[in-house]
């Protein structure tokens, strides 16, 4: 057992009146948040035991943050799922991780797992006078990978994994007391979870919206100095119906990740004298691996330098290999997966030399990494290798393109050909104009045969499925739709 101080209790002891959270217009002190967490823990624990997997199906981010910290203090394992997933998929995941209890604010009901009573957030505060130590190497959470098919893998993290991730992030992102980081990513995703830990480590304010306000309005009305975004969110802020002038906000830093970054959007932010950092990360590495001021290349932008406590190697076949302190202990095993027949075991994710094989392809550009795409996304057309992500980055450089997803469709002559789904700022796709925009940016044989609108709704043949899995488009589902288009 490796004991370390609970980061929230540490702040509550040293600076009890400091603001650690803002919920729309309401500020929350370290002492108040500590009281909520402690009351929640005391009401939760009679229903649970140390090591229990608590399935968390919550939409309320404030309550979810309290649950995370109550789990940290109690030894219960935080196991979030996307609340919009179909009930059958949630139950399959619950079975995979051996969860027998759940907490929900969505009306979710299941016979095979038992709901726990949701504690109320206490209005009172009490003085704190002692530190709380927690086991920093015990499993704190099981966060599902953003798999687009089947039951996601459950990635096990310890508090140490998240702390080292936050410390490495702090080497390039200045975050101090008085700064506010908007919780713009979901807490069932490692990107959202990491924001909570970064703020606690730095003593910064965690900003939460409970009113469902547009992102652009939150940036104008709340004291947001830091925000994590994916490309689509940034596009909406800069060019969408609710676009704003970033120079009129308090923003200091934008962390742009979650996939392909648009070079024109990066330049647009830089012109406002706001720091924009691109990042490459994954669930298995507790969020960030590389982060930095991007370099511009002919193909797009890089994803930053390797952060402290991480190691990166490019294998001979171009695959990115990673290691370091933020790397998870492994995947949590169900009884069906485990050779011992017991849940609760963790399967390491590293090879014999300690490297995790990411499945991503990349290259070095100076000291920075440029991600080329997923190995399993690559298509072969007439003997030529094509990375969909390269085409997506070129499409994002075309005027008016807000989102692009390129998939492979079967072709009798070439074997496979690329097809692009795009979402435009103005809602209208001009296929010939967009193809012309790609000319000169990528090789002719990489230009998609078809460029079509991203569907707003799925056909009835796909009941219960979603176009997005968390913050990423469901590429496998779109590939099925694409092959229907050309069949």
């Amino acid at each position: 057992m490796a004991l370390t101080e609970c980061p929230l209790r540490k702040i509550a002891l040293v600076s009890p009146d400091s603001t650690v959270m803002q919920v729309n217009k309401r500020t929350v002190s370290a002492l108040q948040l500590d009281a909520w967490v402690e009351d929640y823990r005391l009401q939760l624990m009679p229903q649970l035991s140390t090591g229990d997997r608590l399935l968390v199906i919550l939409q309320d981010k404030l309550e979810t943050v309290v649950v995370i910290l109550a789990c940290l203090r109690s030894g219960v394992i935080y196991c979030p799922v996307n609340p919009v997933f179909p009930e059958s998929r949630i139950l399959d995941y619950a079975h995979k991780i051996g969860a027998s209890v759940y907490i929900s604010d969505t009306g979710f009901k299941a016979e095979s797992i038992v709901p726990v009573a949701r504690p109320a957030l206490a209005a009172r505060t009490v003085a704190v006078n002692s530190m709380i130590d927690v086991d920093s190497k015990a499993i704190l959470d099981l966060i599902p990978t953003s798999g687009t098919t089947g039951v996601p893998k459950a990635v096990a993290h310890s508090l140490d994994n998240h702390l080292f991730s936050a410390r490495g992030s702090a080497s390039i992102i200045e975050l101090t007391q008085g700064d506010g980081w908007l919780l713009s990513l979901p807490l069932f995703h490692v990107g959202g979870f990491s924001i909570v830990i970064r703020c606690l480590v730095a003593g910064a304010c965690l900003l939460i919206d409970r009113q469902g306000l547009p992102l652009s309005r939150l940036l104008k009305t709340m004291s947001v100095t830091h925000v994590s975004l994916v490309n689509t969110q940034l596009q909406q802020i800069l060019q969408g119906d609710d676009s704003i002038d970033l120079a009129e906000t308090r923003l200091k830093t934008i962390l742009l990740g979650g996939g392909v970054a648009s070079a024109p959007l990066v330049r647009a932010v830089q012109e406002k004298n706001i720091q924009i950092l691109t990042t490459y990360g994954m669930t298995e590495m507790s969020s960030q691996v590389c982060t930095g001021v991007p370099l511009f290349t002919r193909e797009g932008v890089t994803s930053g330098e390797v952060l402290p406590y991480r190691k990166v190697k490019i294998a001979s076949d171009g695959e990115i290999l990673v290691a370091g302190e933020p790397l998870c202990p492994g995947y949590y095993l169900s009884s069906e997966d485990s050779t011992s027949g017991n849940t609760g075991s963790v399967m390491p994710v590293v090879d014999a030399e300690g490297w995790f094989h990411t499945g991503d392809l990349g290259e070095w550009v100076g000291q920075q990494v440029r991600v080329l795409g997923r190995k399993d996304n690559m298509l072969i057309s007439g003997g030529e290798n094509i990375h969909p992500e390269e085409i997506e980055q070129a499409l994002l450089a075309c005027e008016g393109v807000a989102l692009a997803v390129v998939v492979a469709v079967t072709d009798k002559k070439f074997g496979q050909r690329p097809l692009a789904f795009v979402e435009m700022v103005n809602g209208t796709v001009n296929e010939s104009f967009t193809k012309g925009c790609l000319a000169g940016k990528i090789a002719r044989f990489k230009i998609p045969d078809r460029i079509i609108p991203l569907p707003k709704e799925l056909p009835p043949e796909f009941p219960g499925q979603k176009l997005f899995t968390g913050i990423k488009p469901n590429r496998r589902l779109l590939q099925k739709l694409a092959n229907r288009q050309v069949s």
Side-chain angles (χ1 to χ4, degrees):
M1 180 180 292
L3 296 180
T4 193
E5 298 170 334
C6 170
L8 173 60
R9 176 54 64 89
K10 184 177 181 179
I11 299 172
L13 283 170
V14 174
S15 184
D17 296 327
S18 63
T19 299
V20 294
M21 182 183 286
Q22 182 183 344
V23 185
N24 294 106
K25 295 182 179 180
R26 179 184 181 182
T27 59
V28 179
S29 69
L31 193 61
Q32 178 66 79
L33 182 57
D34 188 274
W36 285 346
V37 170
E38 198 58 16
D39 265 17
Y40 209 99
R41 183 189 70 82
L42 291 173
Q43 294 178 64
L44 204 61
M45 282 312 295
Q47 307 175 72
L48 301 170
S49 301
T50 299
D52 279 352
R53 275 78 71 197
L54 176 61
L55 194 70
V56 179
I57 317 167
L58 294 174
Q59 294 177 321
D60 188 326
K61 288 182 177 178
L62 169 57
E63 185 175 355
T64 307
V65 171
V66 174
V67 170
I68 290 170
L69 296 171
C71 286
L72 170 65
R73 291 184 180 181
S74 64
V76 171
I77 300 175
Y78 167 74
C79 305
V81 291
N82 189 338
V84 305
F85 276 170
E87 181 179 305
S88 59
R89 188 172 184 188
I90 292 175
L91 289 173
D92 286 344
Y93 184 70
H95 178 67
K96 182 182 184 72
I97 63 174
S100 58
V101 289
Y102 72 90
I103 190 166
S104 174
D105 62 4
T106 66
F108 174 86
K109 296 185 183 299
E111 295 181 359
S112 56
I113 52 177
V114 179
V116 297
R118 289 170 59 201
L121 298 183
R124 63 186 179 86
T125 59
V126 294
V128 295
N129 52 24
S130 62
M131 182 55 68
I132 295 177
D133 290 329
V134 295
D135 186 352
S136 63
K137 295 194 178 299
I139 295 175
L140 167 60
D141 61 73
L142 301 179
I143 295 183
T145 56
S146 53
T148 54
T149 58
V151 182
K153 293 178 180 177
V155 181
H157 300 101
S158 67
L159 177 60
D160 265 354
N161 293 143
H162 294 296
L163 291 176
F164 278 107
S165 177
R167 291 164 188 157
S169 178
S171 71
I172 195 163
I173 303 176
E174 184 179 354
L175 181 67
T176 62
Q177 187 174 358
D179 287 332
W181 201 309
L182 182 65
L183 190 53
S184 54
L185 301 178
L187 285 164
F188 55 80
H189 187 279
V190 75
F193 193 104
S194 64
I195 295 171
V196 177
I197 303 299
R198 279 187 221 125
C199 287
L200 287 173
V201 169
C205 186
L206 184 65
L207 307 178
I208 294 177
D209 168 45
R210 295 182 96 186
Q211 299 176 3
L213 299 176
L215 187 56
S216 56
R217 184 172 172 186
L218 294 173
L219 293 177
K220 290 178 68 174
T221 59
M222 297 185 77
S223 302
V224 183
T225 59
H226 295 67
V227 64
S228 301
L229 301 175
V230 297
N231 201 79
T232 310
Q233 291 173 310
L234 182 57
Q235 179 88 41
Q236 286 299 314
I237 291 169
L238 293 176
Q239 301 172 349
D241 293 338
D242 295 317
S243 62
I244 58 172
D245 183 354
L246 292 182
E248 297 177 357
T249 70
R250 299 179 178 88
L251 269 176
K252 297 178 182 178
T253 300
I254 294 175
L255 185 63
L256 185 64
V260 175
S262 165
L265 292 183
V266 171
R267 289 190 189 279
V269 174
Q270 290 177 335
E271 289 171 358
K272 299 292 184 181
N273 293 318
I274 294 171
Q275 178 177 243
I276 180 166
L277 306 173
T278 49
T279 187
Y280 165 65
M282 65 206 66
T283 308
E284 289 83 354
M285 282 292 285
S286 310
S287 191
Q288 298 162 275
V289 176
C290 303
T291 300
V293 178
L295 301 175
F296 291 85
T297 69
R298 179 179 178 275
E299 296 82 7
V301 294
T302 57
S303 295
E305 301 90 0
V306 180
L307 294 172
Y309 309 110
R310 290 90 159 152
K311 294 187 292 183
V312 172
K313 179 170 73 172
I314 308 292
S316 58
D317 64 351
E319 184 176 13
I320 301 173
L321 310 184
V322 297
E325 298 292 346
L327 181 60
C328 69
Y331 297 126
Y332 205 75
L333 297 181
S334 66
S335 56
E336 289 80 2
D337 297 326
S338 173
T339 55
S340 66
N342 297 314
T343 57
S345 56
V346 174
M347 179 182 69
V349 296
V350 296
D351 63 17
E353 296 179 347
W355 293 99
F356 172 63
H357 293 240
T358 66
D360 295 318
L361 299 171
E363 64 182 10
W364 292 105
V365 179
Q367 297 298 310
Q368 297 206 25
V369 170
R370 189 174 85 86
V371 181
L372 304 177
R374 294 286 301 171
K375 288 176 68 174
D376 53 7
N377 286 345
M378 187 180 75
L379 60 109
I380 302 176
S381 181
E384 298 283 358
N385 294 343
I386 297 178
H387 298 293
E389 291 86 350
E390 179 188 358
I391 305 172
E392 290 164 10
Q393 194 157 52
L395 282 165
L396 290 172
C398 296
E399 183 179 353
V401 176
L403 176 65
V405 183
V406 175
V407 297
V409 293
T410 303
D411 185 88
K412 291 181 180 179
K413 181 178 180 181
F414 296 102
Q416 292 178 306
R417 289 293 300 150
L419 177 146
F421 290 97
V422 299
E423 183 178 288
M424 306 296 292
V425 174
N426 62 9
T428 304
V429 177
N430 186 325
E431 187 172 24
S432 60
F433 174 83
T434 307
K435 285 184 178 181
C437 176
L438 293 176
K441 288 186 172 70
I442 55 176
R444 183 183 295 247
F445 71 87
K446 296 180 180 179
I447 295 177
D449 290 350
R450 294 293 315 281
I451 299 176
I452 60 178
L454 184 74
K456 299 294 184 184
E457 296 180 357
L458 290 174
E461 299 93 302
F462 299 90
Q465 298 194 52
K466 302 291 182 181
L467 277 173
F468 285 81
T469 56
I471 59 175
K472 297 181 180 180
N474 190 330
R475 193 179 292 270
R476 297 290 173 257
L477 179 57
L478 288 171
Q479 182 152 347
K480 291 179 183 179
L481 289 175
N483 278 295
R484 283 163 51 98
Q485 291 269 352
V486 299
S487 62

